[in-house]
Amino acid sequence: MTVSAFAFVKTENASKYLQQLCKHWSHNLDVTFDKSRGTVVFPRDARGASWPGDAVTTFTANDEGLECRIYATAAEQLEGLKGAVARHLDRFAFREAPLTFDWRPA
């Protein structure tokens, strides 16, 4: 089973936040990114969890903002990652925080 969600966050600093977030997570997770796109893989067993499979988040930056997509293997995994993405982005965007995340099914 795959569950997914996306949110578009309006910000003029989308590329900056994408890069900061991906650099932060690259210390512990499988991450690829450039100035406009990023992908982060959260292992199924991260932090002692036992999800059916890995979760993947993708980020796409443009002049209008940052698109965040999460693909998970369980509803609870998806909900946890929505919170993690929002908390971490708000930390990097402290001058603008809290950012608005209108999560929708993907």
Side-chain angles (χ1 to χ4, degrees):
M1 174 174 102
T2 300
V3 292
S4 58
F6 78 96
F8 186 79
V9 180
K10 291 185 180 184
T11 176
E12 294 178 4
N13 299 298
S15 177
K16 176 183 173 182
Y17 298 153
L18 177 154
Q19 292 176 72
Q20 286 177 307
L21 183 62
C22 287
K23 284 178 189 175
H24 172 74
W25 275 332
S26 71
H27 298 291
N28 302 331
L29 302 169
D30 182 18
V31 177
T32 58
F33 70 97
D34 59 26
K35 291 182 179 183
S36 61
R37 297 184 190 281
T39 301
V40 181
V41 178
F42 291 87
R44 61 181 297 281
D45 59 355
R47 297 189 181 257
S50 183
W51 302 115
D54 296 345
V56 177
T57 60
T58 62
F59 303 96
T60 305
N62 63 40
D63 292 339
E64 304 292 319
L66 183 63
E67 179 183 284
C68 308
R69 290 186 178 269
I70 303 171
Y71 303 92
T73 58
E76 296 85 1
Q77 183 184 32
L78 178 65
E79 290 305 313
L81 287 172
K82 285 180 189 178
V85 167
R87 282 189 310 276
H88 280 79
L89 280 172
D90 275 347
R91 191 177 311 151
F92 294 120
F94 63 92
R95 288 185 178 92
E96 293 181 67
L99 296 172
T100 301
F101 292 84
D102 183 16
W103 292 105
R104 299 174 185 263

